[in-house]
Amino acid sequence: LRYAGGESVGECLAVARTIQAAGHAVTLDYMGESTRERADAVAAAAEFVRIAGALPGGGSRASISLGATTRAH
């Protein structure tokens, strides 16, 4: 089963914190399939790092994945 934590990063992090507080692990997926330019990929990677740093407990009992795709022109 897949669960969506919300429409924004803040909403997803709030849900993740609630789940972790109940003693469960969480996985967050940050999707960036629409990245076509290098700058977009760099911005997606920076957001990934920000999200990872915002996870409770420094990311213990949590994992995060980045799904960004770039294509050369």
Side-chain angles (χ1 to χ4, degrees):
L1 296 174
R2 294 182 182 181
Y3 298 93
E7 293 294 321
S8 70
V9 172
E11 289 175 6
C12 291
L13 288 171
V15 171
R17 288 181 186 109
T18 299
I19 292 169
Q20 286 181 311
H24 304 287
V26 297
T27 298
L28 302 178
D29 296 309
Y30 182 74
M31 307 308 287
E33 287 91 353
S34 62
T35 56
R36 301 271 190 256
E37 304 295 328
R38 178 178 170 80
D40 295 333
V42 170
E47 182 67 357
F48 174 88
V49 171
R50 185 185 76 77
I51 294 166
L55 289 170
S60 62
R61 298 190 51 88
S63 63
I64 182 171
S65 64
L66 173 63
T69 326
T70 58
R71 296 183 184 162
H73 295 285

